[in-house]
Amino acid sequence: MTQTLTAPATPPVRKGGGGARPPRSGSRRPGWTPWLYLAPALVVLAGLLVYPVYQLGLISVLEYTQAQVSGGEPTSFQGLGNYQKLFADPQFWQVLTATVVFAGLCVLSTLFVGCAFAVLLTRVRALPRLALLIASLGAWATPAITGSTVWMFLFDADFGPVNRLLGLGDFSWTYGRYSAFALVLLEVVWCSFPFVMVTVYAGIRAVPAEVLEAASLDGASQWRIWRSVLAPMLRPILLVVTIQSVIWDFKIFTQIYVMTDGGGIAGQNLVLNVYAYQQAFASSEYSLGAAIGVVMLLLLLAVTLVYLRLMRRQGEEL
């Protein structure tokens, strides 16, 4: 019995050259499907962010005072007049400088305290660690106005226990410019360091134990282990908490307003947020207050763009 061998059928060749192309897997583009999932969040963001920012920018280029709010006078277009008036005011530059310096000190102090406590959490036993976490998260969860009021009582010139313990008598912390800023800085660090502590502690726990043991066996001190081993490995986490602390501390309002009674004596403790509030609501210069808000928005946007660029570089290195 003989078998007949037949050659496999040759697929027809299309005119114009080239055989039939096999379908490529994964070549289908997602299209609009991801945007459909993001649409609800984008609508909420547009309502909560885009429209208010648009209104802020619009008011900043108009003449918008109490007369326009009450309808007594028509609103007129000022262009960059409000910004020129703002930049020509020496007090604005003083407040801006004070805000940048104060926010920088708050950020550095918060990072130092938060990182120190994060390392401490890795050195203590379970029960002290739990107690420290609960106390720190309690400070973090305390509303800003409540924490500011408590700190005002603790450092009160007449009834505060801190002055009695330090033997300062009736010393007023809020009378001097630098002592008032120092008091507010302590309160800001107290309510802000738990975020840094928990975030950095989680990053430290993710570092392989063998790496830390090898550094200890090589004779490295705790400071050297942090500077040469932990800090480079935790760089993305440290970058995140730094940028977020900059944004938070640059926008401080409640602590300054409550603890210095609206900006201190003769405005010596003003920061940009409180300064904008005074211009907009105390002086009824709503357009000038809006211009200050736009300047703050642009500054924080610049910080955010720097943050995104650094994160992108970090991602490329990893």
Side-chain angles (χ1 to χ4, degrees), residues 43-114:
V43 171
V44 174
L45 288 177
L48 296 179
L49 295 178
V50 177
Y51 181 74
V53 170
Y54 163 74
Q55 287 291 333
L56 183 71
L58 179 62
I59 295 176
S60 68
V61 296
L62 301 175
E63 182 183 3
Y64 202 72
T65 62
Q66 187 61 39
Q68 283 75 29
V69 173
S70 60
E73 296 181 6
T75 302
S76 60
F77 180 75
Q78 298 293 319
L80 298 179
N82 292 318
Y83 294 95
Q84 294 176 354
K85 180 180 178 181
L86 181 66
F87 295 150
D89 186 6
Q91 187 181 15
F92 167 75
W93 297 105
Q94 295 175 2
V95 173
L96 177 61
T97 303
T99 303
V100 172
V101 174
F102 177 72
L105 292 176
C106 287
V107 171
L108 293 177
S109 303
T110 302
L111 290 176
F112 176 78
V113 175

Side-chain angles (χ1 to χ4, degrees), residues 226-292:
W226 168 261
R227 184 172 61 88
S228 301
V229 179
L230 286 177
M233 299 183 70
L234 298 176
R235 188 176 301 169
I237 295 177
L238 294 175
L239 185 61
V240 170
V241 296
T242 299
I243 298 300
Q244 290 187 345
S245 298
V246 169
I247 295 175
W248 290 343
D249 295 339
F250 195 82
K251 299 189 303 179
I252 283 178
F253 175 83
T254 304
Q255 291 89 339
I256 288 289
Y257 192 83
V258 173
M259 301 179 70
T260 64
D261 195 17
I265 301 174
Q268 63 182 1
N269 296 114
L270 284 176
V271 292
L272 279 180
N273 244 348
V274 181
Y275 182 58
Y277 174 83
Q278 287 188 352
Q279 294 295 325
F281 298 101
S283 302
S284 298
E285 293 283 347
Y286 301 107
S287 54
L288 196 59
I292 299 174

Side-chain angles (χ1 to χ4, degrees), residues 121-305:
L121 287 176
T122 63
R123 301 294 177 182
V124 298
R125 296 182 179 272
L127 188 59
R129 184 188 307 123
L130 179 61
L132 181 57
L133 283 171
I134 292 176
S136 301
L137 293 178
W140 190 18
T142 302
I145 189 169
T146 304
S148 302
T149 304
V150 171
W151 275 75
M152 285 293 294
F153 169 75
L154 293 176
F155 288 84
D156 186 76
D158 298 322
F159 306 103
V162 175
N163 281 10
R164 296 181 182 180
L165 292 176
L166 299 179
L168 297 177
D170 58 350
F171 174 75
S172 177
W173 289 82
T174 59
Y175 182 79
R177 181 186 186 189
Y178 298 107
S179 60
F181 269 129
L183 180 60
V184 177
L185 184 145
L186 291 176
E187 200 278 336
V188 171
V189 173
W190 172 77
C191 67
S192 301
F193 87 89
F195 169 74
V196 178
M197 179 191 72
V198 173
T199 307
V200 175
Y201 173 69
I204 294 176
R205 298 296 295 180
V207 175
E210 296 80 5
V211 176
L212 302 179
E213 292 177 0
S216 300
L217 293 177
D218 289 340
S221 62
Q222 294 298 324
W223 167 247
R224 185 62 183 274
I225 292 176
W226 168 261
R227 184 172 61 88
S228 301
V229 179
L230 286 177
M233 299 183 70
L234 298 176
R235 188 176 301 169
I237 295 177
L238 294 175
L239 185 61
V240 170
V241 296
T242 299
I243 298 300
Q244 290 187 345
S245 298
V246 169
I247 295 175
W248 290 343
D249 295 339
F250 195 82
K251 299 189 303 179
I252 283 178
F253 175 83
T254 304
Q255 291 89 339
I256 288 289
Y257 192 83
V258 173
M259 301 179 70
T260 64
D261 195 17
I265 301 174
Q268 63 182 1
N269 296 114
L270 284 176
V271 292
L272 279 180
N273 244 348
V274 181
Y275 182 58
Y277 174 83
Q278 287 188 352
Q279 294 295 325
F281 298 101
S283 302
S284 298
E285 293 283 347
Y286 301 107
S287 54
L288 196 59
I292 299 174
V294 171
V295 172
M296 292 183 59
L297 176 65
L298 293 178
L299 291 175
L300 292 178
L301 182 60
V303 173
T304 304
L305 292 177

